[in-house]
């Protein structure tokens, strides 16, 4: 069993159920993606990595992205393609960044940038120097989940010296530590500063068959409480 299999299982079980609900309290954005919608993005990313770039098990991916709905397709795309996550650009064949973290990918052969303020359309031809627009790069690729073939097995490396099976066990342990019940709806205000953050905000909800609510740029405790009530959150992970 691998972390990416968790998503495949959710997709097979409840394809139309929302998995990500995203709020940006500064811009007023609210976006929601079902498992099926997310799978379309993940499949495109998977094919970018495996078919176009020829990457697979053992290759390194650097992830320097914010906690945002557009960051989950690169995360799951890397997992399905079989790459491992690294924090040293010298060990990475590909990197996914936002403009604010572009310098973290210095020297990486292929760098793709997301545009948090216009996530669905990307940079509209004005990607940061040294990076390609992620949305434009994945757009030509097939989005059918049936074309996704997992590129690594449970014993292959994943992140922080852990195998893919080890990361899955890490997520299960965290779900138990957080006291999450089956189907938990996890609201998070945490950014992705390190792997433990995306494990908690993506893989842990998957472990329990739940879903994720991201709330960014929220400085008002009353607003956060209202979002938790509106979205029927059963757990809150704060910054």
């Amino acid at each position: 069993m691998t972390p990416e299999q968790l998503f495949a299982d959710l997709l097979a079980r409840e394809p139309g159920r929302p998995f990500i609900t995203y709020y940006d309290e500064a811009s007023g954005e609210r976006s929601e993606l079902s498992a099926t919608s997310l799978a379309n993005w993940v499949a495109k990313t998977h094919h970018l990595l495996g078919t176009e770039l020829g990457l697979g098990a053992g290759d390194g991916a650097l992830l320097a992205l914010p906690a945002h709905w557009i960051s989950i397709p690169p995360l799951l795309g890397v997992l399905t393609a079989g790459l491992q996550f690294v924090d040293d650009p010298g060990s990475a064949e590909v990197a996914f960044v936002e403009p604010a973290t572009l310098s973290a990918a210095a020297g990486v052969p292929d760098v793709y940038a997301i545009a948090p303020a216009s996530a669905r359309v990307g940079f509209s031809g004005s990607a940061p120097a040294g990076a390609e627009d992620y949305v434009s790069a994945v757009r030509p690729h097939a989005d059918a989940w049936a074309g996704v073939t997992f590129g690594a097995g449970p014993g292959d490396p994943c992140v922080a010296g852990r195998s893919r099976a080890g990361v899955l066990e890490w997520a299960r342990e965290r779900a138990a530590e957080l006291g999450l019940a089956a189907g938990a709806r996890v609201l998070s205000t945490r950014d992705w500063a390190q792997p433990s953050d995306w494990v908690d905000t993506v893989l842990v909800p998957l472990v329990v068959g739940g879903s994720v609510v991201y709330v960014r740029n929220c400085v008002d405790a009353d607003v956060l409480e209202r979002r938790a009530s509106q979205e029927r959150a059963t757990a809150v992970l704060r910054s």
Side-chain angles (χ1 to χ4, degrees), residues 15-103:
R17 183 165 70 90
F19 177 66
I20 312 164
T21 304
Y22 174 81
Y23 288 92
D24 187 328
E25 300 298 345
S27 68
E29 177 187 357
R30 182 187 186 277
S31 295
E32 190 166 81
L33 276 76
S34 67
T36 296
S37 296
L38 178 56
N40 296 152
W41 283 92
V42 175
K44 286 177 175 290
T45 309
H46 173 93
H47 292 305
L48 169 69
L49 294 169
T51 305
E52 182 172 331
L53 300 184
L55 301 177
D59 290 322
L62 188 150
L63 199 72
L65 295 174
H68 191 292
W69 72 261
I70 194 62
S71 299
I72 298 185
L75 170 65
L76 293 178
V78 166
L79 287 170
T80 61
L83 284 70
Q84 61 178 317
F85 295 98
V86 298
D87 56 15
D88 175 10
S91 302
E93 281 72 39
V94 64
F96 295 93
V97 301
E98 62 173 324
T101 59
L102 181 60
S103 62

Coordinates of all heavy atoms in Angstrom, one line a residue, residues 15-103:
P15 N -16.3 9.3 -6.1 CA -15.7 10.2 -7.1 C -16.3 11.6 -7.1 O -15.6 12.6 -7.4 CB -16.0 9.5 -8.4 CG -17.2 8.6 -8.2 CD -17.0 8.1 -6.7
G16 N -17.5 11.8 -6.8 CA -18.1 13.1 -6.8 C -18.1 13.9 -5.6 O -18.5 15.1 -5.5
R17 N -17.6 13.3 -4.5 CA -17.6 14.0 -3.2 C -16.5 15.0 -3.1 O -15.4 14.7 -3.6 CB -17.5 13.0 -2.0 CG -17.5 13.7 -0.7 CD -17.7 12.6 0.4 NE -16.5 11.8 0.6 CZ -15.5 12.1 1.5 NH1 -15.6 13.2 2.2 NH2 -14.5 11.2 1.6
P18 N -16.7 16.2 -2.7 CA -15.6 17.2 -2.5 C -14.5 16.7 -1.6 O -14.8 16.2 -0.6 CB -16.3 18.4 -1.9 CG -17.8 18.3 -2.2 CD -18.0 16.8 -2.2
F19 N -13.3 16.8 -2.1 CA -12.1 16.5 -1.3 C -11.4 17.7 -0.8 O -10.9 17.8 0.3 CB -11.1 15.6 -2.1 CG -9.9 15.3 -1.2 CD1 -10.0 14.5 -0.1 CD2 -8.7 15.8 -1.6 CE1 -8.9 14.2 0.7 CE2 -7.6 15.5 -0.8 CZ -7.7 14.7 0.3
I20 N -11.4 18.8 -1.6 CA -10.7 20.0 -1.2 C -11.8 21.2 -1.3 O -12.4 21.4 -2.3 CB -9.6 20.4 -2.2 CG1 -8.7 19.2 -2.5 CG2 -8.8 21.6 -1.6 CD1 -7.8 19.5 -3.7
T21 N -11.8 21.9 -0.2 CA -12.6 23.2 -0.2 C -11.6 24.3 0.2 O -10.9 24.1 1.2 CB -13.8 23.2 0.7 OG1 -14.6 22.1 0.3 CG2 -14.6 24.5 0.6
Y22 N -11.5 25.3 -0.6 CA -10.4 26.3 -0.4 C -11.0 27.7 -0.2 O -11.8 28.1 -1.0 CB -9.4 26.3 -1.6 CG -8.4 27.3 -1.5 CD1 -7.2 27.2 -0.7 CD2 -8.5 28.5 -2.3 CE1 -6.2 28.2 -0.7 CE2 -7.5 29.5 -2.3 CZ -6.4 29.3 -1.5 OH -5.5 30.3 -1.4
Y23 N -10.5 28.4 0.8 CA -10.9 29.8 1.0 C -9.7 30.7 1.1 O -8.7 30.3 1.8 CB -11.7 30.0 2.4 CG -13.1 29.4 2.4 CD1 -13.3 28.1 2.9 CD2 -14.2 30.2 2.1 CE1 -14.6 27.6 3.0 CE2 -15.4 29.7 2.2 CZ -15.7 28.4 2.6 OH -16.9 27.9 2.7
D24 N -9.7 31.8 0.4 CA -8.7 32.8 0.6 C -9.4 34.1 1.2 O -10.2 34.7 0.4 CB -8.0 33.2 -0.7 CG -6.8 34.1 -0.4 OD1 -6.9 35.0 0.5 OD2 -5.8 34.0 -1.2
E25 N -9.3 34.4 2.4 CA -10.0 35.4 3.0 C -9.6 36.8 2.6 O -10.3 37.8 2.8 CB -9.9 35.3 4.6 CG -10.5 34.0 5.2 CD -11.9 33.8 4.9 OE1 -12.6 34.8 4.5 OE2 -12.4 32.7 5.0
A26 N -8.4 36.9 2.0 CA -7.9 38.2 1.5 C -8.5 38.5 0.1 O -8.9 39.6 -0.2 CB -6.4 38.2 1.4
S27 N -8.6 37.5 -0.8 CA -9.2 37.7 -2.1 C -10.7 37.4 -2.2 O -11.3 37.8 -3.2 CB -8.4 36.8 -3.1 OG -8.7 35.5 -2.9
G28 N -11.2 36.7 -1.3 CA -12.6 36.3 -1.4 C -12.8 35.0 -2.2 O -14.0 34.6 -2.4
E29 N -11.7 34.4 -2.6 CA -11.9 33.1 -3.4 C -12.4 32.0 -2.6 O -12.0 31.8 -1.4 CB -10.5 32.7 -4.0 CG -10.6 31.4 -4.8 CD -9.2 30.9 -5.2 OE1 -8.2 31.6 -5.0 OE2 -9.2 29.8 -5.8
R30 N -13.3 31.2 -3.2 CA -13.7 29.9 -2.7 C -13.7 28.9 -3.8 O -14.4 29.2 -4.8 CB -15.1 30.0 -2.0 CG -15.5 28.6 -1.4 CD -17.0 28.6 -1.0 NE -17.3 27.4 -0.3 CZ -17.7 26.2 -0.9 NH1 -17.7 26.1 -2.2 NH2 -18.0 25.2 -0.1
S31 N -13.0 27.9 -3.7 CA -12.9 26.9 -4.7 C -13.2 25.5 -4.1 O -12.8 25.3 -2.9 CB -11.5 26.9 -5.4 OG -11.3 28.1 -6.1
E32 N -13.8 24.6 -4.9 CA -14.0 23.3 -4.4 C -13.8 22.3 -5.5 O -14.2 22.5 -6.6 CB -15.5 23.2 -3.9 CG -15.8 21.9 -3.2 CD -17.1 22.0 -2.5 OE1 -18.2 21.8 -3.1 OE2 -17.1 22.3 -1.2
L33 N -13.0 21.2 -5.2 CA -12.7 20.2 -6.1 C -13.2 18.8 -5.6 O -12.8 18.4 -4.5 CB -11.2 20.1 -6.4 CG -10.6 21.0 -7.5 CD1 -10.5 22.4 -6.9 CD2 -9.3 20.6 -7.9
S34 N -13.9 18.1 -6.4 CA -14.3 16.7 -6.1 C -13.1 15.8 -6.3 O -12.1 16.3 -7.0 CB -15.4 16.3 -7.0 OG -15.0 16.2 -8.3
A35 N -13.2 14.6 -5.9 CA -12.1 13.6 -6.2 C -11.9 13.5 -7.7 O -10.8 13.4 -8.2 CB -12.4 12.3 -5.6
T36 N -13.0 13.5 -8.5 CA -12.8 13.4 -9.9 C -12.1 14.6 -10.5 O -11.2 14.4 -11.4 CB -14.2 13.2 -10.6 OG1 -14.8 12.0 -10.1 CG2 -14.1 13.2 -12.1
S37 N -12.5 15.8 -10.1 CA -11.9 17.0 -10.7 C -10.4 17.0 -10.3 O -9.5 17.4 -11.1 CB -12.6 18.3 -10.1 OG -13.9 18.3 -10.6
L38 N -10.1 16.7 -9.1 CA -8.7 16.6 -8.7 C -7.9 15.6 -9.5 O -6.8 15.8 -9.9 CB -8.6 16.3 -7.2 CG -7.2 16.2 -6.6 CD1 -6.4 17.4 -6.8 CD2 -7.3 15.9 -5.1
A39 N -8.6 14.4 -9.7 CA -7.9 13.3 -10.4 C -7.5 13.8 -11.9 O -6.5 13.3 -12.4 CB -8.8 12.1 -10.5
N40 N -8.3 14.6 -12.5 CA -8.0 15.2 -13.8 C -6.7 15.9 -13.8 O -5.8 15.7 -14.6 CB -9.1 16.1 -14.3 CG -10.4 15.4 -14.6 OD1 -11.5 16.0 -14.5 ND2 -10.4 14.1 -14.9
W41 N -6.5 16.8 -12.8 CA -5.3 17.6 -12.6 C -4.1 16.6 -12.3 O -3.0 16.8 -12.8 CB -5.4 18.6 -11.5 CG -6.2 19.8 -11.8 CD1 -7.5 20.0 -11.6 CD2 -5.7 21.0 -12.3 NE1 -7.9 21.2 -12.0 CE2 -6.8 21.9 -12.4 CE3 -4.4 21.5 -12.7 CZ2 -6.7 23.2 -12.9 CZ3 -4.3 22.8 -13.2 CH2 -5.4 23.6 -13.3
V42 N -4.3 15.6 -11.4 CA -3.3 14.7 -11.0 C -2.8 13.9 -12.2 O -1.6 13.7 -12.4 CB -3.7 13.8 -9.9 CG1 -2.6 12.8 -9.6 CG2 -4.1 14.6 -8.6
A43 N -3.7 13.4 -13.0 CA -3.4 12.6 -14.2 C -2.5 13.4 -15.2 O -1.5 12.9 -15.7 CB -4.6 12.1 -14.9
K44 N -2.9 14.7 -15.4 CA -2.1 15.5 -16.3 C -0.6 15.7 -15.7 O 0.3 15.7 -16.5 CB -2.8 16.9 -16.4 CG -4.0 16.9 -17.3 CD -4.7 18.3 -17.4 CE -5.8 18.3 -18.3 NZ -5.4 18.3 -19.7
T45 N -0.5 16.0 -14.4 CA 0.8 16.1 -13.8 C 1.6 14.8 -13.9 O 2.8 14.9 -14.2 CB 0.6 16.5 -12.3 OG1 -0.3 17.7 -12.3 CG2 2.0 16.9 -11.7
H46 N 0.9 13.7 -13.7 CA 1.6 12.4 -13.8 C 2.2 12.2 -15.2 O 3.3 11.8 -15.3 CB 0.5 11.3 -13.5 CG 0.9 9.9 -13.7 ND1 1.4 9.1 -12.7 CD2 0.9 9.2 -14.9 CE1 1.7 8.0 -13.2 NE2 1.4 7.9 -14.5
H47 N 1.4 12.6 -16.2 CA 1.9 12.4 -17.6 C 3.0 13.4 -17.9 O 3.9 13.1 -18.7 CB 0.8 12.5 -18.6 CG -0.2 11.3 -18.4 ND1 0.2 10.0 -18.5 CD2 -1.5 11.3 -18.3 CE1 -0.8 9.2 -18.4 NE2 -1.9 10.0 -18.2
L48 N 2.9 14.6 -17.4 CA 4.0 15.6 -17.5 C 5.3 15.0 -17.0 O 6.4 15.0 -17.7 CB 3.7 16.9 -16.8 CG 4.8 17.9 -16.7 CD1 5.2 18.5 -18.0 CD2 4.5 19.0 -15.7
L49 N 5.3 14.4 -15.8 CA 6.5 13.9 -15.2 C 7.0 12.6 -15.9 O 8.2 12.5 -16.2 CB 6.2 13.6 -13.7 CG 5.9 14.8 -12.9 CD1 5.4 14.4 -11.5 CD2 7.2 15.7 -12.7
G50 N 6.1 11.7 -16.1 CA 6.5 10.4 -16.6 C 6.7 10.3 -18.1 O 7.7 9.8 -18.6
T51 N 5.7 10.9 -18.9 CA 5.7 10.8 -20.3 C 6.6 11.8 -20.9 O 7.5 11.5 -21.8 CB 4.3 10.9 -20.9 OG1 3.5 9.9 -20.3 CG2 4.3 10.7 -22.4
E52 N 6.4 13.1 -20.5 CA 7.2 14.2 -21.2 C 8.6 14.2 -20.6 O 9.6 14.4 -21.4 CB 6.5 15.5 -20.9 CG 7.2 16.7 -21.6 CD 6.4 18.0 -21.5 OE1 5.2 17.9 -21.5 OE2 7.0 19.0 -21.5
L53 N 8.8 14.2 -19.3 CA 10.1 14.3 -18.7 C 10.8 13.0 -18.5 O 12.1 13.0 -18.3 CB 10.0 15.0 -17.4 CG 9.4 16.4 -17.4 CD1 9.5 17.1 -16.0 CD2 10.2 17.3 -18.4
G54 N 10.1 11.9 -18.6 CA 10.8 10.6 -18.4 C 11.2 10.3 -17.1 O 12.2 9.5 -16.9
L55 N 10.6 10.8 -16.0 CA 11.0 10.6 -14.7 C 10.2 9.5 -14.0 O 9.1 9.2 -14.4 CB 10.8 11.9 -13.9 CG 11.6 13.1 -14.4 CD1 11.2 14.4 -13.6 CD2 13.1 12.9 -14.4
G56 N 10.8 8.9 -13.0 CA 10.1 7.8 -12.3 C 10.8 7.5 -10.9 O 11.4 8.4 -10.3
A57 N 10.7 6.3 -10.5 CA 11.2 5.9 -9.2 C 12.6 6.2 -9.0 O 13.5 5.9 -9.9 CB 10.9 4.4 -9.0
G58 N 12.9 6.8 -7.9 CA 14.3 7.2 -7.5 C 14.6 8.6 -7.9 O 15.6 9.2 -7.4
D59 N 13.9 9.2 -8.9 CA 14.2 10.6 -9.3 C 13.6 11.5 -8.2 O 12.7 11.2 -7.5 CB 13.5 10.9 -10.6 CG 14.2 10.2 -11.8 OD1 15.4 10.1 -11.7 OD2 13.5 9.8 -12.7
G60 N 14.2 12.7 -8.1 CA 13.9 13.7 -7.0 C 13.0 14.8 -7.5 O 13.2 15.4 -8.6
A61 N 12.0 15.2 -6.6 CA 11.2 16.3 -6.9 C 11.3 17.2 -5.7 O 11.1 16.8 -4.5 CB 9.7 15.9 -7.1
L62 N 11.5 18.5 -6.0 CA 11.5 19.5 -4.9 C 10.1 20.2 -4.9 O 9.7 20.7 -5.9 CB 12.6 20.5 -5.2 CG 12.9 21.5 -4.1 CD1 14.4 21.9 -4.1 CD2 12.1 22.8 -4.2
L63 N 9.5 20.3 -3.7 CA 8.2 20.9 -3.6 C 8.3 22.1 -2.7 O 8.6 21.9 -1.5 CB 7.2 19.8 -3.0 CG 5.7 20.1 -3.2 CD1 5.3 19.8 -4.7 CD2 4.9 19.2 -2.3
A64 N 8.1 23.3 -3.3 CA 8.2 24.5 -2.5 C 6.9 25.3 -2.8 O 6.9 26.4 -3.4 CB 9.4 25.3 -2.8
L65 N 5.8 24.8 -2.3 CA 4.5 25.3 -2.6 C 3.7 25.7 -1.4 O 3.9 25.2 -0.3 CB 3.7 24.3 -3.4 CG 4.2 23.9 -4.8 CD1 3.4 22.7 -5.4 CD2 4.2 25.1 -5.7
P66 N 2.7 26.6 -1.5 CA 1.9 27.0 -0.4 C 0.8 26.0 -0.2 O 0.5 25.1 -1.1 CB 1.3 28.3 -0.8 CG 1.2 28.2 -2.3 CD 2.4 27.4 -2.7
A67 N 0.1 26.0 0.9 CA -1.1 25.2 1.2 C -2.2 25.8 0.4 O -2.9 26.8 0.8 CB -1.4 25.1 2.6
H68 N -2.5 25.3 -0.8 CA -3.4 25.8 -1.7 C -4.0 24.7 -2.5 O -3.3 23.6 -2.7 CB -2.7 26.8 -2.7 CG -3.5 27.7 -3.5 ND1 -4.3 27.1 -4.6 CD2 -3.7 29.0 -3.6 CE1 -4.9 28.1 -5.2 NE2 -4.6 29.3 -4.6
W69 N -5.2 24.8 -3.1 CA -5.7 23.6 -3.8 C -4.9 23.3 -5.0 O -4.8 22.1 -5.4 CB -7.2 23.9 -4.2 CG -7.4 24.9 -5.3 CD1 -7.8 26.2 -5.1 CD2 -7.3 24.7 -6.7 NE1 -7.9 26.9 -6.3 CE2 -7.6 26.0 -7.3 CE3 -7.0 23.6 -7.5 CZ2 -7.6 26.1 -8.7 CZ3 -7.0 23.8 -8.9 CH2 -7.3 25.0 -9.5
I70 N -4.3 24.3 -5.7 CA -3.5 24.0 -6.9 C -2.2 23.3 -6.5 O -1.5 22.8 -7.4 CB -3.2 25.3 -7.7 CG1 -2.7 25.0 -9.1 CG2 -2.2 26.2 -6.9 CD1 -3.7 24.3 -10.0
S71 N -1.8 23.3 -5.3 CA -0.6 22.5 -4.9 C -0.8 21.0 -4.7 O 0.2 20.3 -4.7 CB -0.1 23.1 -3.5 OG 0.3 24.5 -3.6
I72 N -2.0 20.6 -4.6 CA -2.3 19.2 -4.4 C -2.1 18.4 -5.6 O -1.5 17.3 -5.5 CB -3.7 19.0 -3.7 CG1 -3.8 19.6 -2.4 CG2 -4.0 17.5 -3.6 CD1 -5.0 19.4 -1.6
P73 N -2.4 18.8 -6.8 CA -2.1 18.1 -8.0 C -0.6 17.8 -8.2 O -0.2 16.6 -8.5 CB -2.7 18.9 -9.2 CG -3.8 19.6 -8.5 CD -3.4 19.9 -7.1
P74 N 0.3 18.8 -8.0 CA 1.7 18.4 -8.1 C 2.1 17.4 -7.1 O 2.9 16.5 -7.3 CB 2.4 19.8 -7.9 CG 1.5 20.8 -8.4 CD 0.1 20.3 -8.0
L75 N 1.6 17.6 -5.8 CA 2.0 16.6 -4.8 C 1.6 15.2 -5.1 O 2.4 14.3 -5.1 CB 1.3 17.0 -3.5 CG 1.3 16.0 -2.3 CD1 2.7 15.8 -1.8 CD2 0.4 16.5 -1.2
L76 N 0.3 15.0 -5.5 CA -0.2 13.7 -5.9 C 0.4 13.2 -7.2 O 0.6 12.0 -7.4 CB -1.7 13.7 -5.9 CG -2.4 13.9 -4.6 CD1 -3.9 13.9 -4.7 CD2 -2.0 12.8 -3.5
G77 N 0.7 14.2 -8.1 CA 1.3 13.8 -9.4 C 2.7 13.2 -9.1 O 3.1 12.2 -9.8
V78 N 3.5 13.8 -8.3 CA 4.8 13.3 -7.9 C 4.7 11.9 -7.3 O 5.4 11.0 -7.7 CB 5.5 14.3 -7.0 CG1 6.7 13.6 -6.3 CG2 5.9 15.6 -7.7
L79 N 3.7 11.8 -6.4 CA 3.5 10.4 -5.8 C 3.2 9.4 -6.8 O 3.7 8.3 -6.8 CB 2.5 10.5 -4.7 CG 2.9 11.3 -3.4 CD1 1.7 11.5 -2.5 CD2 4.0 10.5 -2.7
T80 N 2.2 9.7 -7.7 CA 1.7 8.6 -8.6 C 2.9 8.3 -9.6 O 3.0 7.1 -10.0 CB 0.5 9.1 -9.4 OG1 0.8 10.3 -10.1 CG2 -0.7 9.3 -8.4
A81 N 3.7 9.3 -10.0 CA 4.7 9.0 -10.9 C 5.9 8.3 -10.3 O 6.8 7.8 -11.0 CB 5.2 10.3 -11.6
G82 N 5.9 8.2 -9.0 CA 6.9 7.4 -8.3 C 8.2 8.1 -7.9 O 9.1 7.5 -7.4
L83 N 8.2 9.5 -8.0 CA 9.4 10.2 -7.6 C 9.4 10.3 -6.1 O 8.4 10.1 -5.4 CB 9.3 11.6 -8.2 CG 9.7 11.8 -9.7 CD1 8.6 11.2 -10.6 CD2 9.9 13.3 -10.0
Q84 N 10.6 10.7 -5.6 CA 10.7 11.0 -4.1 C 10.9 12.5 -3.9 O 11.4 13.2 -4.8 CB 11.9 10.2 -3.6 CG 13.3 10.6 -4.2 CD 14.4 9.9 -3.5 OE1 14.5 9.7 -2.3 NE2 15.4 9.4 -4.3
F85 N 10.5 12.9 -2.8 CA 10.6 14.4 -2.5 C 12.0 14.6 -1.8 O 12.4 13.9 -0.9 CB 9.5 14.8 -1.5 CG 8.1 14.7 -2.1 CD1 7.3 13.6 -1.9 CD2 7.7 15.7 -2.9 CE1 6.0 13.5 -2.4 CE2 6.4 15.6 -3.5 CZ 5.6 14.5 -3.2
V86 N 12.6 15.7 -2.3 CA 13.9 16.1 -1.8 C 13.9 17.5 -1.4 O 13.1 18.3 -2.0 CB 15.1 15.8 -2.8 CG1 15.2 14.3 -3.1 CG2 14.8 16.5 -4.1
D87 N 14.8 18.0 -0.5 CA 14.8 19.4 -0.2 C 16.1 20.1 -0.7 O 16.3 21.3 -0.6 CB 14.7 19.7 1.3 CG 15.7 18.9 2.1 OD1 16.7 18.4 1.6 OD2 15.5 18.8 3.3
D88 N 17.0 19.3 -1.4 CA 18.2 19.8 -1.9 C 18.1 19.9 -3.4 O 17.8 18.9 -4.1 CB 19.4 18.8 -1.6 CG 20.7 19.2 -2.3 OD1 20.8 20.3 -2.8 OD2 21.6 18.4 -2.3
P89 N 18.1 21.1 -4.0 CA 18.0 21.3 -5.4 C 19.0 20.5 -6.2 O 18.7 20.1 -7.4 CB 18.1 22.8 -5.6 CG 18.8 23.3 -4.4 CD 18.4 22.4 -3.3
G90 N 20.1 20.2 -5.7 CA 21.1 19.4 -6.4 C 20.7 18.0 -6.6 O 21.3 17.3 -7.4
S91 N 19.7 17.5 -5.8 CA 19.2 16.1 -5.9 C 17.9 16.0 -6.6 O 17.3 15.0 -6.7 CB 19.1 15.5 -4.5 OG 20.3 15.6 -3.8
A92 N 17.4 17.2 -7.2 CA 16.1 17.2 -7.8 C 16.2 17.3 -9.3 O 17.0 18.0 -9.9 CB 15.3 18.4 -7.3
E93 N 15.4 16.5 -10.0 CA 15.3 16.6 -11.4 C 14.2 17.6 -11.9 O 14.1 18.0 -13.0 CB 15.0 15.2 -12.0 CG 16.2 14.3 -12.2 CD 16.7 13.8 -10.8 OE1 15.8 13.4 -10.0 OE2 17.9 13.6 -10.7
V94 N 13.2 17.8 -10.9 CA 12.1 18.7 -11.2 C 11.7 19.4 -9.9 O 11.9 18.9 -8.8 CB 10.9 17.9 -11.8 CG1 10.4 16.9 -10.7 CG2 9.8 18.8 -12.3
A95 N 11.1 20.6 -10.1 CA 10.7 21.4 -8.9 C 9.4 22.0 -9.2 O 9.1 22.4 -10.4 CB 11.7 22.4 -8.5
F96 N 8.6 22.2 -8.2 CA 7.3 22.9 -8.3 C 7.4 24.0 -7.2 O 7.6 23.7 -6.0 CB 6.1 22.0 -8.0 CG 5.9 20.9 -9.0 CD1 6.5 19.6 -8.9 CD2 5.2 21.1 -10.2 CE1 6.4 18.7 -9.8 CE2 5.0 20.2 -11.2 CZ 5.6 18.9 -11.0
V97 N 7.2 25.2 -7.7 CA 7.4 26.4 -6.8 C 6.2 27.4 -7.1 O 5.4 27.3 -8.0 CB 8.7 27.1 -7.1 CG1 9.9 26.1 -6.9 CG2 8.8 27.7 -8.6
E98 N 6.2 28.4 -6.2 CA 5.5 29.7 -6.5 C 6.5 30.8 -6.7 O 7.7 30.6 -6.4 CB 4.5 30.0 -5.3 CG 5.2 30.2 -4.0 CD 4.2 30.7 -2.9 OE1 3.3 31.4 -3.3 OE2 4.4 30.3 -1.8
P99 N 6.1 31.9 -7.2 CA 7.1 33.0 -7.4 C 8.0 33.3 -6.2 O 9.2 33.5 -6.3 CB 6.3 34.2 -7.8 CG 5.1 33.6 -8.5 CD 4.8 32.3 -7.7
A100 N 7.4 33.3 -5.0 CA 8.1 33.6 -3.8 C 9.1 32.6 -3.4 O 10.0 32.9 -2.6 CB 7.1 33.8 -2.6
T101 N 9.1 31.4 -3.9 CA 10.0 30.3 -3.6 C 10.9 29.9 -4.7 O 11.5 28.8 -4.7 CB 9.3 29.1 -3.0 OG1 8.3 28.6 -4.0 CG2 8.5 29.4 -1.7
L102 N 10.9 30.6 -5.8 CA 11.6 30.2 -7.0 C 13.1 30.0 -6.7 O 13.7 29.1 -7.3 CB 11.4 31.3 -8.1 CG 12.1 31.1 -9.4 CD1 11.6 29.8 -10.1 CD2 11.9 32.3 -10.4
S103 N 13.7 30.8 -5.8 CA 15.1 30.7 -5.6 C 15.5 29.3 -5.0 O 16.6 28.9 -5.1 CB 15.6 31.8 -4.6 OG 14.9 31.7 -3.4

